[in-house]
Amino acid sequence: MTQYVYQSDDTSDNIILKITWLLLNIGGLLFLLPFTFIYGFTSGPVVFVMNIIFCLGLMIPLMIFHFHRKNIETFAFSTQLILVVMTSIKVYLMGGLLNVGTPVYVGLMAPVYALTLPNKKRAVFIFIFFIVSLIIATLLNPHSPDDHLFAHYFVGLLIFSSFTFFTLYYYTTQLQKIKAQEKKRVKDLDELRTKFYTHITHEFRTPVNIIAGMVDQMKKNPSKWLNEGHSIVKRNSRNLISLTDKLLDLSKLKAGSMPLNFIQDDIVLYIEYLVESFHSLAAVKHIKLSFSAEPKTIRMDFDPDKIHDIIYNLISNAIKFTPDRGSVKIGLTRIEDHSFVLKVKDTGIGIPKDQMHRIFDPYFQAKNHLETLKEGSGLGLSLTREIVKLLDGTIQVDSIYNQGSLFTVTLPITNRAPIAQLPLPPKASHDGSVMMHPPAVEKQDTNQLTLLIVEDNADVIRYLQSLLAPYYHLEVAGNGFEGLNKSLEIIPDLIISDVMMPVMDGFTMCKRLKQNIRTSHIPIVLLTARVDSDSRNEGLKCGADVYLNKPFNQEELFIRINKLIDLRHQLQLRYRSVHQEQLSSDAMVRSDRSIEDAFIHEVHTILKAHLADEEFGIKALCRSLGMSRAQLYRKFSALTNTTVYCYLRTLRLKKARELLLTTNRNVTEVAYDTGFKNLSHFSRTFAKEFGHAPSKTKI
């Protein structure tokens, strides 16, 4: 039967509704046909004809359904109407409600059946239609019933049918809500899983990209890259192993198969050692990292590996999401003799209140106030919670949005494990790939184009530097927010950016740069592990000029950069040709002009309006445009490959030539009208531009 009713776009719920309707119609027809021919003749020709009509009312929809098995709610609605009409006619023919028994309850099947469908309003309509039609059928009957008996019978029927209908209405509505909630939960879980896999892919692709790229660099130039390349490859190999271990540990914890290795020692000394190893990481962002313990010694049972994982995840997260010059505080306390409390407090971006209950979900990562994606796999906090639960402890978080978070871990104090003293080697630095500062690349050639690398992974930055430093002057920013500010400050010639970064992601940075007139012209290359079409489309919608997948091909990167530079040269030729045309604002006005067209047009208009003002210069133009001198110079030079001064001088000379050709003014008057107060300077520049003296122009 399922195969019979199935259509390509059917859901499982739709199939059940179809089968229910089919069985109801076939069952009703199988009952009605024998009843019609056995009892129809004895009941009179009118009843017989009516029964035949009712049979046709069930058969015709079945025949239509055989050829068109869609819109089941329409078929169901017709069946419900037929049942109600059939019941009403039966009541009328049998002399009213007082003379009817079973047919009334056959009619009640219609609204009850309607409750099985999603549209509950239609079910209420069918119920009201059922009650009203029974009353009308009784009142229209020529054998008027006793009003008193009729009222009692009808009230009893109304109470019974209403109780039955609305009880079923309540439970079916609740069931529908539960199903809707379950669907939403499954959908949300699927979205979270998709996001988790996106992040985990990013985490795997980044070190793979670095390893593959550095191996090529080591092969091309072993004398330069062998030592540093080896350490970068080694470090990223460890990152891959660490990430794999996290996934395995999480699965073990979920399965309850993670072993515990307790020792009894001073946990304060051990945690202080772990905290000290984060000082260099905090120093990179000028974050104040402080540690306190009360009392100074707490001897208890603990698993060093598990405590290490808890401390590493909480402190690295706190540093990662705390802005420059913030603070991270780690505090240890003992509650009487039965509980040990660890607190990690930061002045970071905080967690929105509506997302607090989900931050320990392995598939979930909270969004910050800039609505950005965070760097990381999203495993850290989930792993921390599972470890704390394994140690019979609790973890909770308090956070004020945009002000900071406080994580509190409480563990029971016991003293049953063997007494041991942990050997604490010299403090190593947790210089994870996120916060390392790459070595600076000195500018070798003042004519080199400036490329800004926006990336939160130091090894990726170092790899890109190894590729690009010989050809370009490189600047570096550690996240999208830094990249945005640095772009506005230096106006680079090209930007290469990751997408998934803390504080501000590449999409947001790209969108803001393309919407800002000072930076809208800068070509942007996005490098990312987010390879799905939706992410690619989002990147292109934000204005990215190129979207490259990690791991990227070195040759393709260079080809893309060169193509963008070629396009920039074409843009320069276009704007140079524009400013050499007839000095008319109409030449610059286009209904579909881009931001760059609008910028050049605005500069052109302002300068043209002040041609006669020799005092009007770069400073005044910057004030009019709301840009700094450096921003204007970099933007204008990138678009025209000339300076504003040269552009203004050319405008004045062309205007002077036009006045000499079209008016009767002498050379001195024209010079003054076009902003040249020094006549000899005007003559020299005019002759240099056009190859003859101004006085020879009219000849």
Side-chain angles (χ1 to χ4, degrees):
M1 187 169 287
T2 301
Q3 291 180 345
Y4 173 69
V5 301
Y6 177 75
Q7 295 285 295
S8 58
D9 56 346
D10 275 345
T11 62
S12 56
D13 289 343
N14 225 25
I15 291 172
I16 292 171
L17 293 177
K18 285 184 177 182
I19 292 174
T20 303
W21 177 83
L22 197 62
L23 291 175
L24 184 65
N25 275 261
I26 292 173
L29 195 59
L30 291 176
F31 170 78
L32 198 56
L33 278 173
F35 181 83
T36 298
F37 287 100
I38 294 172
Y39 299 103
F41 292 109
T42 58
S43 301
V46 175
V47 174
F48 178 75
V49 171
M50 289 305 303
N51 283 343
I52 292 295
I53 293 172
F54 293 147
C55 288
L56 291 173
L58 294 175
M59 289 176 66
I60 291 171
L62 283 171
M63 293 170 65
I64 297 172
F65 180 78
H66 180 75
F67 298 102
H68 184 77
R69 298 169 197 171
K70 294 184 178 180
N71 303 325
I72 187 60
E73 288 209 17
T74 303
F75 284 103
F77 185 55
S78 65
T79 300
Q80 294 153 18
L81 290 176
I82 289 170
L83 282 172
V84 173
V85 171
M86 190 167 68
T87 301
S88 304
I89 294 173
K90 198 75 174 175
V91 168
Y92 174 80
L93 293 175
M94 295 180 69
L97 276 175
L98 291 176
N99 300 316
V100 177
T102 305
V104 172
Y105 301 102
V106 172
L108 188 59
M109 288 172 59
V112 171
Y113 170 45
L115 287 173
T116 64
L117 299 171
N119 193 335
K120 303 303 178 188
K121 290 182 180 179
R122 185 176 289 174
V124 174
F125 167 76
I126 292 294
F127 177 73
I128 295 171
F129 180 55
F130 167 70
I131 296 296
V132 171
S133 63
L134 291 184
I135 296 171
I136 292 173
T138 302
L139 294 177
L140 290 178
N141 194 276
H143 307 290
S144 298
D146 183 283
D147 291 341
H148 181 70
L149 289 175
F150 170 70
H152 277 76
Y153 184 89
F154 176 71
V155 169
L157 176 65
L158 182 64
I159 292 172
F160 171 78
S161 58
S162 298
F163 176 79
T164 303
F165 175 78
F166 286 107
T167 300
L168 292 172
Y169 177 86
Y170 172 78
Y171 282 107
T172 54
T173 304
Q174 292 302 309
L175 183 63
Q176 194 170 352
K177 286 181 181 178
I178 292 170
K179 287 175 71 175
Q181 290 171 356
E182 180 63 17
K183 282 183 179 178
K184 186 178 183 301
R185 189 189 71 81
V186 171
K187 182 183 177 183
D188 290 345
L189 184 61
D190 185 59
E191 288 177 356
L192 291 172
R193 281 176 178 157
T194 301
K195 187 176 179 182
F196 168 74
Y197 291 132
T198 300
H199 278 266
I200 211 74
T201 300
H202 178 269
E203 289 299 288
F204 273 108
R205 277 178 175 263
T206 298
V208 167
N209 188 48
I210 295 166
I211 291 169
M214 287 311 303
V215 167
D216 290 340
Q217 291 296 90
M218 291 161 67
K219 185 177 179 181
K220 288 178 183 177
N221 193 345
S223 60
K224 181 178 180 180
W225 291 108
L226 183 60
N227 291 330
E228 186 179 357
H230 178 267
S231 63
I232 290 174
V233 168
K234 194 79 173 174
R235 180 163 56 248
N236 282 275
S237 299
R238 286 197 300 268
N239 288 345
L240 284 174
I241 293 170
S242 174
L243 185 58
T244 306
D245 287 343
K246 277 186 178 182
L247 288 168
L248 292 173
D249 286 347
L250 189 59
S251 63
K252 285 180 182 178
L253 285 164
K254 291 286 188 182
S257 59
M258 173 69 75
L260 287 170
N261 299 301
F262 282 111
I263 64 163
Q264 188 179 160
D265 198 0
D266 182 6
I267 195 170
V268 174
L269 183 63
Y270 180 60
I271 291 179
E272 185 178 11
Y273 156 72
L274 295 176
V275 172
E276 282 294 321
S277 64
F278 280 93
H279 274 290
S280 61
L281 181 60
V284 169
K285 295 180 68 177
H286 308 288
I287 290 173
K288 183 181 178 182
L289 184 65
S290 60
F291 174 83
S292 63
E294 185 59 42
K296 301 299 182 184
T297 300
I298 302 175
R299 185 169 289 277
M300 61 180 283
D301 300 337
F302 63 91
D303 184 326
D305 291 337
K306 306 301 182 291
I307 296 298
H308 172 275
D309 289 343
I310 293 171
I311 293 294
Y312 179 79
N313 287 326
L314 292 180
I315 298 181
S316 60
N317 260 7
I319 293 174
K320 187 187 301 179
F321 300 123
T322 296
D324 287 3
R325 308 193 183 280
S327 67
V328 175
K329 298 179 181 178
I330 297 92
L332 308 179
T333 56
R334 182 174 62 195
I335 301 175
E336 297 178 350
D337 289 328
H338 56 76
S339 293
F340 164 79
V341 179
L342 161 70
K343 293 187 177 183
V344 178
K345 181 177 175 60
D346 64 64
T347 57
I349 56 180
I351 304 164
K353 189 171 288 186
D354 62 335
Q355 299 178 25
M356 293 260 285
H357 65 290
R358 301 169 64 191
I359 63 167
F360 294 109
D361 193 310
Y363 303 120
F364 180 76
Q365 288 190 320
K367 288 187 176 181
N368 71 353
H369 59 295
L370 294 174
E371 297 183 355
T372 63
L373 293 168
K374 308 291 192 300
E375 181 273 337
S377 62
L379 290 174
L381 287 179
S382 178
L383 189 61
T384 301
R385 181 186 64 174
E386 295 302 322
I387 292 173
V388 171
K389 285 170 62 179
L390 182 67
L391 298 174
D392 294 326
T394 60
I395 182 170
Q396 63 183 44
V397 58
D398 295 302
S399 185
I400 299 176
Y401 189 52
N402 214 18
Q403 293 187 27
S405 303
L406 170 64
F407 285 86
T408 303
V409 176
T410 304
L411 299 174
I413 293 178
T414 60
N415 299 97
R416 295 189 293 266
I419 296 175
Q421 186 171 358
L422 283 170
L424 302 181
K427 295 178 176 66
S429 173
H430 281 287
D431 59 347
S433 61
V434 174
M435 297 299 178
M436 288 172 58
H437 269 200
V441 176
E442 294 184 3
K443 190 169 184 177
Q444 299 172 347
D445 182 356
T446 55
N447 293 321
Q448 283 184 322
L449 296 178
T450 298
L451 267 62
L452 174 63
I453 299 172
V454 186
E455 172 63 65
D456 60 335
N457 187 301
D459 286 337
V460 174
I461 294 172
R462 192 68 187 111
Y463 172 47
L464 288 171
Q465 285 177 334
S466 74
L467 295 175
L468 302 171
Y471 314 104
Y472 306 100
H473 169 63
L474 300 180
E475 296 284 345
V476 174
N479 57 60
F481 187 70
E482 290 180 17
L484 177 64
N485 290 332
K486 202 155 196 175
S487 297
L488 291 169
E489 177 188 348
I490 67 173
I491 314 294
D493 296 293
L494 188 137
I495 297 172
I496 299 174
S497 175
D498 189 15
V499 170
M500 299 169 69
M501 297 178 289
V503 186
M504 181 185 287
D505 66 281
F507 289 153
T508 306
M509 182 197 73
C510 182
K511 186 175 181 180
R512 294 191 180 188
L513 288 173
K514 291 297 185 179
Q515 289 174 344
N516 193 313
I517 193 169
R518 290 170 286 181
T519 53
S520 58
H521 67 284
I522 302 173
I524 299 176
V525 178
L526 291 181
L527 301 176
T528 181
R530 299 181 64 181
V531 297
D532 58 286
S533 59
D534 288 342
S535 297
R536 178 180 289 274
N537 291 339
E538 185 178 356
L540 296 175
K541 284 178 184 177
C542 290
D545 297 88
V546 174
Y547 195 99
L548 287 182
N549 301 334
K550 288 182 180 177
F552 59 86
N553 180 275
Q554 297 178 19
E555 186 178 356
E556 183 182 3
L557 177 63
F558 276 107
I559 290 171
R560 295 285 192 173
I561 291 174
N562 290 334
K563 286 292 184 185
L564 289 173
I565 292 171
D566 288 344
L567 286 173
R568 171 183 157 162
H569 290 157
Q570 292 175 25
L571 189 69
Q572 291 171 345
L573 288 172
R574 176 184 175 225
Y575 287 123
R576 280 210 304 272
S577 66
V578 166
H579 89 262
Q580 290 170 0
E581 291 173 1
Q582 184 73 18
L583 290 181
S584 168
S585 60
D586 292 339
M588 295 298 302
V589 176
R590 292 167 42 204
S591 60
D592 62 340
R593 68 174 182 256
S594 66
I595 295 177
E596 277 60 66
D597 289 334
F599 171 76
I600 293 293
H601 174 64
E602 187 175 7
V603 172
H604 182 92
T605 303
I606 293 171
L607 293 179
K608 186 181 176 184
H610 295 86
L611 283 181
D613 185 1
E614 187 184 35
E615 302 301 321
F616 188 86
I618 304 299
K619 190 179 291 187
L621 180 61
C622 288
R623 283 198 301 268
S624 300
L625 294 171
M627 300 172 73
S628 71
R629 188 184 188 94
Q631 289 170 340
L632 174 61
Y633 173 80
R634 295 285 296 168
K635 170 94 178 178
F636 196 82
S637 177
L639 289 177
T640 64
N641 199 28
T642 188
T643 64
V644 179
Y645 173 78
C646 292
Y647 187 87
L648 176 57
R649 185 183 62 191
T650 304
L651 282 180
R652 282 174 168 159
L653 290 172
K654 280 184 166 288
K655 184 63 177 177
R657 186 171 182 271
E658 179 189 352
L659 292 174
L660 289 171
L661 289 171
T662 59
T663 68
N664 293 322
R665 298 179 195 178
N666 60 38
V667 172
T668 302
E669 290 174 328
V670 168
Y672 276 97
D673 287 346
T674 54
F676 291 95
K677 304 306 179 187
N678 187 311
L679 193 59
S680 60
H681 173 64
F682 170 66
S683 297
R684 284 196 308 272
T685 54
F686 190 94
K688 186 177 180 180
E689 178 75 16
F690 299 111
H692 57 82
S695 58
K696 301 290 181 89
T697 300
K698 291 188 176 183
I699 297 174

